[in-house]
Amino acid sequence: MPHVVLLVSSGSGRRRLLEETLARLAGPDSEVLSSREGETWVSLLADNLSGGLFDERRIVVVDGAQELGPLPPACVALLEPPEASTTLVLLYEQDPGKALPPEARERIVRVESRPLPRFGRERLDWIEGIAREEGVRLEPGALALLSEAFEDPGELAMEVRKLALLGETVGEEQVRALCLGDGSRLLVQFLDHLCRGQAVPALACLEGLRRRDEVIPVLAALHNRFRLAWWGARFPRRSGQVERFLKARPYAWKLAQQAGARYGLAALTRFTGDLIGLNLQEKTGQGTGWAGVELAVQGLLRARKNEGSRGHPSSMAAVRR
């Protein structure tokens, strides 16, 4: 008689969760099968009441288990503990609810993916938990950069698994080298150099982005980073409160604070205003493309924290002229 494992997950994290579950369940002599299309509870349980004569363990993966419908009460008695020779792994995108009665759930092992939090310490804890499972320690800079660079939990877990091959401790530069593709690496470098006021490398990165990327995603990335810098410069004595209010990620917030110290509120106000204007123009078909971005960036790089509001016309005004 079969044992049942209930796996609840959706998106790319589902595949990772299934792989991990099968790795725990399957032994060297296990046979992993897929259920037939159009199965019902009755046919599924009848076909898997026992393994083959020479099978040490058989695992049957049931994708789209919600199509099975409610489990008939008479079938509950057929569910066995984990020692059974056959295990059914039922894949649900969400909790099946009343389709599985309480008495059935007492006999079923539930495996559920923990969603990746979007912000805060909980997000970093999630990543650190994956790293611990893989036997690697992420230094604070590496942890913050991973949190900033990846949104998909499955992709993030895969990158942590890759980093674990490097050894017990991984730093920020190793994350840059191994986890960021050429396009992502170039964009992160551009934002970082610009926040630090490093004109030559920032403009070199901008030229590289110009050759390979669309302008609107780069404008969005600039706005996301320098929006934080503007708020930090606007309320410098409430830095912690601003960080929590904006739900800023640690890496982006660290660089945004450097930008605030480098440029000051007046320059950041002009620059963020330029970015908003450029983005609006691009989306309405009236934009100047990369020329407008480069002019705005050059205007920011010329700025100094104490230059005040005098002397430098808005780069958007220059574009219009």
Side-chain angles (χ1 to χ4, degrees), residues 292-311:
V293 177
E294 185 170 351
L295 192 58
V297 167
Q298 288 176 356
L300 179 68
L301 287 168
R302 286 195 298 268
R304 292 292 184 272
K305 181 172 182 179
N306 296 320
E307 52 120 13
S309 57
R310 66 185 186 281

Side-chain angles (χ1 to χ4, degrees), residues 134-194:
E134 298 296 331
V136 62
R137 187 182 75 82
L138 300 173
E139 293 180 352
L143 182 63
L145 184 55
L146 280 171
S147 175
E148 175 74 9
F150 297 97
E151 292 294 336
D152 184 272
E155 186 179 7
L156 184 50
M158 183 174 65
E159 295 302 326
V160 173
R161 192 175 297 123
K162 186 195 305 180
L163 292 168
L165 300 175
L166 299 178
E168 295 183 357
T169 303
V170 171
E172 182 177 326
E173 290 307 312
Q174 291 168 301
V175 172
R176 289 182 185 277
L178 193 61
C179 298
L180 301 184
D182 289 343
S184 298
R185 186 182 303 120
L186 196 60
L187 181 57
V188 171
Q189 288 175 345
F190 168 58
L191 295 174
D192 291 357
H193 289 316
L194 192 57

